[in-house]
Amino acid sequence: MSALTAVPANILAAGTNNGSFVTPSISYAAIAPILIVLAAACVGVLFEAVLPRSQRFYAQVALTLAALLAAFIDVIAIRGHSVVTASRAIAIDGTSLFLQGTILVLGALAVLLLAERGVEPGSAIVAQAAVVVGSPADRRLASSDRVQTEIFPLALFAVGGMLIFPAANNLLLMFVALEVLSLPLYLMAGLSRRRRLLSQEAAIKYFLLGAFASAFFLYGVALLYGYADSANLSDILRAQNTSTQSDTLLYLGFGLLIVGLLFKAGIAPFHSWTPDVYQGSPTPVTAFMASCTKIAAFGAILRVLYVGFSVSNWNWRPIIWTVAIASIAVGAVVGLTQTDVKRILAYSSIAHAGFILMAVLAQNAQGQMDVSGLSSSLFYLAAYGLTTIAAFGMVTLVRDGNGEATHLSQWSGLARRSPLFAVTFTFLLLAFAGIPLTSGFTGKFVVFRAAYHSAAPLVVIALIGSAIAAFFYLRIVVMMFFAEPAEDGPSVVIPSALSTIAITVGTGATLVLGVFPQPLLDLADHAAKLRG
Amino acid sequence: MHNVSLLLLLAIPLLGSIVIFAMPTGRDLLAKQVALVFSIATFVFAIVLGFLFKVSDNRADRFQFQGSWTWIRSFGVHFAFGVDGIALVLIGMSTLLVPVVVLASWNSFDSVADAEEIAAANAPKRSAKTYFALLLLLEVFMIGVFAATDVFLFYVFFEAMLVPMYFIIGSFGGPRRQYAAVKFFLYSLLGGLLMLAAVIGVYVSAGTSSFAFTDLVGHVPNGATQKWLFLGFFIAFAIKAPLVPFHTWLPDAGAEAPAGGAALLVGVLDKVGTFGFLRYCLPLFPEASRYFAKPILILSVIGILYAAFLAMGQRDMKRLVAYTSIAHFGFIGIGIFAFTTQGGTGAVLYMVNHGLSTGLLFIVIGLLVARGKSRLISDYGGTARITPRLGGVFLLAGLSALALPGMSTFISEFLTLLGTFTRHKGIAIVATAGIILAALYVLLLYQRTMQGPVLEKVKGFRDLNARELFAVGPLIALILVLGVYPKPVIDIINPAVKFTMQDVGKTDPQPVSAAQPGGHK
């Protein structure tokens, strides 16, 4: 009952319950990557204030890439670290470092796409978001090559939140990270240069639903705090054996918490925002969300389940079973009816989220959560993120007079005009479908292998789901290769070096991880360690 | 264990495929020549390996030319190759079919341009380069699938094979090619994914942390697990083979694919299914194989009769041949699941002969369609009088399809039925009816297209030229030679089949004499 008398600071500094505030000791070396990114984001805001417009774009791009690179190098430098710091609120361990490294790489690739000005003079981002849609000023700006640069510090803030999210060992810190990563994304979703109303609608939808999800999450944290007398994951784990509180608090708290996380990861039945937001957002932002946000959200799910609920005397596994099946089914079946390439990829991401979620069901012979589930989801996340960035990067290149041509029918006969584009995109689709010699196959294989022992029926369901999903990937291939090109169809724009690098890295990684996955598998195995 | 000969065999067509893909567009003739050279080189090399292959009953010699390199260490996956007699003869058949197909589709690879209605619209010619590069790429995967001795590697080739075939059908096929290509891909992918589940299951339940075939044999625990895993493999192979009721993709794919593609599709790709029964289903899951043998035998017999009746009703020549193939796969199925050495050997020989004879039939029909621009039987009549050589080859191909004595197909059909009869009399007797139906549908096809009054449009047909004769010549020769003297091939196949029967734990029943009417069981 000491919880009732504790001052709020004690929630973070759990355990020091003597009423006085103790400055927590912080291992700055361990959280340096996070600090680098957040500091660079603040500098980016300053750039907006002090630099003349002509210099901002290059300064911001350079700053953002340099910050992400520096943070990535730092993550490599502190590999092998395993500390729990800041009053046990942040755990820097193998898993969080692996995820942070992945997010930084994918974030950098997404920034390359954001900075692309070769396919559209002023980049895919609207020059001035506050101008009323369709007003004369808006039309003037749309055709100018003025570029908007606030998006780069926003992206950095989001990345900063994503770096904290999977490392947060304390649910309150996790909530703060959730908001830090979400708020910039809500904005970024509404900044499309073309089809601005659709983009703004997406932003509003994302914001409203995201706010609901955050509220769920916070309510869950409150209930768990009431149950365990602490918001710390390892304390919550311990409390499940010792707490005298009603189990209702635990069940409800867990349920609400997981709803918030599943929402961010885009898992059915909390997926309804995904297609609209993916479709409405500027495509580089979609690439960023589909890869980085998903990885961060899964990182948090993994930490909550593996640290907070790994050995519990109650069984939350049916919940995961249900949502995994729902996600695979919704992604595969509803994806069949879609006619927009971005929406198809959105439904594909819902199905993939279901596949990744299967991994956490992996159990060893003693019925404990098995570490193979952790390492296989790490591998899958990295592989999927790289393929996704490349796929959305390629979607930005198919354009006609109205901007990106994402309707499936507009892609007919693209292979005739741009065989290289069609072959590359087909390869990425085959990776999504899980055909051997692509990273998608290796990822599916490790996840299914991990889940096989404890969830064999789910593996079969997942395989049937992938067979159904293969149909809509094939539809795109059929359109590109076998249909006759339309007279006034879109063409494939040759991008500048920035997008080319992002697409090449993503596609190359998809191939390499399919043919020689061993190094990354080793790394994921090595990284699959969590500190409570 | 680092013998590179099979790796080399894979490398030759792979190199050829890369060379052709890298060529500038428009050099069609050069692409064809390069494809021909590389495919002939592959065939020659395969023949050399065939002569080096040691025929022996020693179990240590089961797999030869073995080479194994670690691929993905944490899964225990190896880049492991090796051939037994079954794989060797199938590789020989496949590598022969590829140069034949290259020659035969020299000018007629593009069914779109060939189709009457589109030819009139003057549609753009498709790139010959892509077609021939895809053929060679397909050959790489076909050899790989037979030569792999690692279950994971086998699966990789099994799935990868779909991609070039999908594009061959989808890009160069007939009017309904999109539908056929997607149907083919989805059916195969569904089977492949079920097999993937079973592959993982075999790996996990065997607990050997290796995917090597020889490590897994005998380690799959008996009981319900084995039955489920068997079904995972079986359905994948039954779709590929295809066995009734998993067959509906084949008539579409076979009819819409360009003639050369169809020859490889039915001649080789489908053999992967029956090969999979023998190589993987039987040895890995002996108990489940025995458990499911009866239903599979019955399905096979149903397939023989059902597909034969459907074949008689077809108006499209290529669909007709596709249905005859389904009937033939029924024979292969009963040969395999009768669990006798004769039946097994007959089934393997059947696979080879069927590849040759159906390959020939598809190629001949392709040559006919290239002249008449139509696949419908009713568009032809009296053709043999205008083009006697084409008619003769057509007749030979047909006779080999109906297993006339003297043709190689007769030997295999006879062996298969004999092997089945010693264990399952009823099944063998019903299956024999299929032979009569085969004679009906082949002779009706021949009579309607080649005999009778000469149609007006047929009068302008050109007879086979030297290139086309060169293309079909080797197949005809082999069908006749193996029909008279099949011993060398049977000698190669026999030990491998015996090992498989040992794996499945069945010995041949004593010969049944008239005095022992109850001998079947």
Side-chain angles (χ1 to χ4, degrees):
Chain A
M1 289 296 102
S2 54
L4 296 174
T5 56
V7 294
N10 283 13
I11 299 172
L12 270 171
T16 55
N17 206 4
N18 54 11
S20 68
F21 187 84
V22 181
T23 317
S25 77
I26 295 176
S27 164
Y28 287 100
I31 59 169
I34 302 170
L35 296 179
I36 290 172
V37 171
L38 290 177
C42 295
V43 175
V45 174
L46 285 181
F47 275 10
E48 289 297 315
V50 297
L51 286 183
R53 182 179 286 154
S54 58
Q55 296 172 12
R56 271 186 229 158
F57 178 76
Y58 299 101
Q60 290 285 21
V61 173
L63 172 74
T64 311
L65 289 175
L68 293 173
L69 185 67
F72 181 66
I73 292 172
D74 196 26
V75 165
I76 293 175
I78 61 172
R79 69 185 185 281
H81 256 57
S82 182
V83 290
V84 181
T85 184
S87 295
R88 295 163 58 221
I90 293 193
I92 300 297
D93 47 27
T95 303
S96 40
L97 285 174
F98 182 95
L99 290 170
Q100 287 178 345
T102 316
I103 291 169
L104 287 166
V105 170
L106 295 173
L109 294 179
V111 166
L112 290 177
L113 294 177
L114 276 174
E116 172 66 50
R117 296 178 72 183
V119 294
E120 174 123 41
S123 85
I125 307 303
V126 68
Q128 209 170 354
V131 171
V132 176
V133 177
S135 66
D138 183 40
R139 281 199 291 275
R140 208 165 45 245
L141 279 172
S143 52
S144 78
D145 61 354
R146 232 176 87 182
V147 62
Q148 196 238 53
T149 50
E150 287 96 334
I151 190 122
F152 296 105
L154 284 175
L156 274 181
F157 275 119
V159 170
M162 291 172 191
L163 295 185
I164 305 173
F165 204 36
N169 212 25
N170 183 300
L171 291 177
L172 273 189
L173 181 69
M174 197 177 267
F175 176 73
V176 172
L178 176 66
E179 293 303 302
V180 172
L181 81 86
S182 300
L183 290 173
L185 283 177
Y186 299 148
L187 269 178
M188 290 163 77
L191 294 183
S192 179
R193 194 180 195 88
R194 310 285 190 126
R195 301 198 189 84
R196 287 188 59 202
L197 283 176
L198 199 66
S199 172
Q200 292 179 354
E201 184 194 324
I204 292 286
K205 239 177 209 168
Y206 193 23
F207 171 69
L208 285 179
L209 290 173
F212 265 114
S214 296
F216 274 109
F217 184 89
L218 200 56
Y219 199 10
V221 174
L223 292 179
L224 285 174
Y225 181 73
Y227 176 77
D229 203 9
S230 162
N232 206 300
L233 284 173
S234 33
D235 293 340
I236 292 174
L237 179 65
R238 210 171 309 120
Q240 288 168 44
N241 292 321
T242 59
S243 179
T244 54
Q245 300 283 352
S246 155
D247 279 346
T248 318
L249 286 178
L250 174 69
Y251 300 154
L252 265 182
F254 175 81
L256 294 170
L257 184 77
I258 210 78
V259 165
L261 292 174
L262 294 177
F263 174 85
K264 272 292 154 213
I267 293 169
F270 313 104
H271 66 285
S272 52
W273 59 277
T274 320
D276 293 339
V277 175
Y278 278 21
Q279 185 188 17
S281 305
T283 309
V285 175
T286 313
F288 181 57
M289 286 195 292
S291 54
C292 297
T293 313
K294 191 151 248 163
I295 292 174
F298 264 102
I301 292 175
L302 291 173
R303 184 167 292 278
V304 165
L305 293 179
Y306 272 86
V307 177
F309 297 88
S310 58
V311 194
S312 48
N313 48 10
W314 64 289
N315 194 358
W316 45 262
R317 299 163 57 81
I319 301 175
I320 303 293
W321 266 81
T322 315
V323 291
I325 293 176
S327 216
I328 293 166
V330 167
V333 175
V334 185
L336 290 177
T337 64
Q338 301 304 313
T339 50
D340 183 282
V341 177
K342 280 167 87 177
R343 286 183 86 87
I344 290 178
L345 291 180
Y347 278 100
S348 139
S349 89
I350 295 170
H352 279 278
F355 296 145
I356 307 173
L357 204 56
M358 289 167 55
V360 306
L361 295 169
Q363 283 180 314
N364 60 15
Q366 285 79 45
Q368 289 158 335
M369 290 181 79
D370 193 63
V371 75
S372 69
L374 191 54
S375 63
S376 60
S377 21
L378 292 181
F379 180 90
Y380 202 123
L381 286 169
Y384 176 72
L386 285 159
T387 312
T388 304
I389 287 264
F392 279 109
M394 298 206 74
V395 171
T396 62
L397 305 182
V398 185
R399 309 184 73 89
D400 61 9
N402 298 319
E404 282 168 22
T406 56
H407 198 273
L408 194 54
S409 61
Q410 292 173 297
W411 284 43
S412 65
L414 267 188
R416 218 58 76 71
R417 290 194 196 138
S418 320
L420 182 64
F421 174 91
V423 168
T424 315
F425 201 76
T426 302
F427 176 70
L428 296 172
L429 290 173
L430 292 179
F432 284 134
I435 299 291
L437 305 180
T438 65
S439 63
F441 173 73
T442 322
K444 277 210 176 75
F445 185 83
V446 286
V447 166
F448 292 168
R449 185 182 60 157
Y452 190 84
H453 246 314
S454 45
L458 192 50
V459 171
V460 176
I461 293 174
L463 286 165
I464 294 170
S466 2
I468 299 172
F471 182 75
F472 55 78
Y473 302 129
L474 280 189
R475 271 175 72 198
I476 305 182
V477 178
V478 167
M479 266 295 163
M480 289 194 299
F481 279 90
F482 307 152
E484 294 300 319
E487 278 299 316
D488 50 351
S491 56
V492 174
V493 182
I494 307 296
S496 72
L498 297 175
S499 291
T500 313
I501 291 173
I503 293 169
T504 313
V505 169
T507 314
T510 306
L511 178 64
V512 170
L513 294 180
V515 182
F516 300 110
Q518 191 61 49
L520 189 68
L521 286 170
D522 285 342
L523 192 64
D525 276 342
H526 205 65
K529 295 185 186 80
L530 282 164
R531 282 286 299 260
Chain B
M1 287 280 275
H2 290 302
N3 190 326
V4 292
S5 30
L6 287 170
L7 221 49
L8 269 178
L9 186 65
L10 284 165
I12 300 171
L14 182 64
L15 186 69
S17 173
I18 293 170
V19 167
I20 298 175
F21 268 123
M23 273 180 198
T25 37
R27 305 294 303 275
D28 283 0
L29 183 64
L30 187 63
K32 292 170 190 173
Q33 288 162 342
V34 171
L36 188 62
V37 168
F38 274 95
S39 57
I40 289 180
T42 316
F43 176 61
V44 170
F45 192 65
I47 292 300
V48 171
L49 288 185
F51 278 109
L52 294 176
F53 189 84
K54 225 175 355 170
V55 175
S56 104
D57 276 336
N58 188 344
R59 214 178 165 86
D61 289 334
R62 177 172 186 179
F63 291 106
Q64 299 183 23
F65 312 115
Q66 280 191 307
S68 175
W69 296 266
T70 302
W71 178 16
I72 307 174
R73 189 171 24 78
S74 44
F75 303 168
V77 174
H78 291 85
F79 220 65
F81 295 103
V83 288
D84 59 1
I86 303 172
L88 183 76
V89 293
L90 288 173
I91 288 177
M93 184 265 288
S94 321
T95 50
L96 169 64
L97 266 184
V98 175
V100 166
V101 163
V102 168
L103 262 183
S105 39
W106 205 258
N107 291 327
S108 57
F109 58 88
D110 190 350
S111 332
V112 184
D114 284 348
E116 205 163 15
E117 62 272 38
I118 301 178
N122 221 348
K125 271 277 189 191
R126 265 138 238 268
S127 143
K129 179 187 114 176
T130 319
Y131 179 80
F132 289 97
L134 284 173
L135 275 186
L136 287 187
L137 189 63
L138 184 64
E139 183 174 20
V140 177
F141 296 142
M142 291 186 317
I143 299 172
V145 87
F146 292 128
T149 52
D150 182 289
V151 179
F152 188 96
L153 186 66
F154 169 79
Y155 176 75
V156 168
F157 280 118
F158 187 79
E159 288 284 57
M161 221 163 48
L162 294 180
V163 178
M165 198 65 215
Y166 171 71
F167 282 103
I168 288 176
I169 300 176
S171 299
F172 301 96
R176 289 174 70 237
R177 60 188 186 281
Q178 292 187 17
Y179 170 78
V182 171
K183 192 169 177 184
F184 158 74
F185 197 91
L186 284 182
Y187 257 86
S188 307
L189 192 70
L190 178 70
L193 287 170
L194 286 176
M195 187 167 125
L196 175 62
V199 166
I200 299 174
V202 166
Y203 174 77
V204 173
S205 60
T208 47
S209 55
S210 158
F211 276 102
F213 172 74
T214 40
D215 288 346
L216 289 173
V217 168
H219 282 94
V220 182
N222 286 343
T225 323
Q226 197 185 87
K227 287 179 188 138
W228 283 110
L229 295 176
F230 172 87
L231 283 180
F233 274 81
F234 174 77
I235 292 176
F237 294 141
I239 289 175
K240 197 65 126 189
L243 208 62
V244 173
F246 304 103
H247 65 283
T248 63
W249 63 271
L250 183 65
D252 288 313
E256 298 302 324
L264 290 181
L265 175 72
V266 180
V268 182
L269 259 67
D270 291 350
K271 300 301 175 305
V272 177
T274 42
F275 170 76
F277 289 149
L278 261 178
R279 167 65 77 72
Y280 295 99
C281 280
L282 264 49
L284 287 178
F285 319 106
E287 193 205 8
S289 301
R290 293 193 296 268
Y291 180 84
F292 285 112
K294 259 284 161 52
I296 294 172
L297 285 169
I298 292 170
L299 273 185
S300 303
V301 172
I302 293 175
I304 293 174
L305 301 178
Y306 174 72
F309 277 116
L310 283 183
M312 274 186 274
Q314 296 305 313
R315 290 182 299 166
D316 177 327
M317 289 187 285
K318 279 161 90 182
R319 275 186 95 82
L320 188 150
V321 180
Y323 275 111
T324 69
S325 300
I326 298 170
H328 290 309
F329 291 129
F331 280 106
I332 302 179
I334 59 170
I336 292 174
F337 282 92
F339 303 132
T340 56
T341 319
Q342 275 172 336
T345 308
V348 177
L349 195 60
Y350 210 129
M351 293 185 217
V352 177
N353 290 332
H354 180 260
L356 301 175
S357 92
T358 306
L360 179 63
L361 204 50
F362 265 120
I363 287 170
V364 174
I365 289 177
L367 296 174
L368 186 61
V369 171
R371 287 162 171 77
K373 312 281 182 208
S374 161
R375 303 196 309 248
L376 292 183
I377 295 173
S378 53
D379 283 348
Y380 299 89
T383 318
R385 252 183 268 172
I386 308 296
T387 57
R389 276 176 286 188
L390 181 62
V393 175
F394 197 108
L395 183 63
L396 265 172
L399 292 181
S400 81
L402 66 81
L404 193 78
M407 304 285 175
S408 61
T409 39
F410 170 73
I411 314 265
S412 43
E413 201 154 294
F414 185 72
L415 269 177
T416 308
L417 287 172
L418 198 63
T420 312
F421 192 80
T422 53
R423 188 159 272 149
H424 304 281
K425 265 205 182 117
I427 298 274
I429 291 168
V430 179
T432 313
I435 301 180
I436 301 159
L437 295 174
L440 263 177
Y441 56 68
V442 166
L443 293 177
L444 279 176
L445 171 69
Y446 181 78
Q447 188 188 3
R448 286 172 185 163
T449 54
M450 293 291 156
Q451 305 286 304
V454 181
L455 290 190
E456 195 55 42
K457 66 178 275 193
V458 171
K459 283 186 179 146
F461 284 9
R462 175 177 59 75
D463 207 352
L464 295 186
N465 62 22
R467 169 180 62 77
E468 289 159 339
L469 281 176
F470 263 115
V472 294
L475 292 180
I476 295 176
L478 208 55
I479 288 172
L480 293 174
V481 168
L482 287 181
V484 183
Y485 188 62
K487 187 173 177 302
V489 178
I490 289 181
D491 282 347
I492 292 178
I493 297 170
N494 224 340
V497 172
K498 273 186 193 147
F499 296 136
T500 308
M501 292 305 145
Q502 287 164 16
D503 285 336
V504 82
K506 282 276 191 179
T507 46
D508 287 339
Q510 292 303 307
V512 184
S513 67
Q516 295 170 284
H520 77 285
K521 157 63 197 113

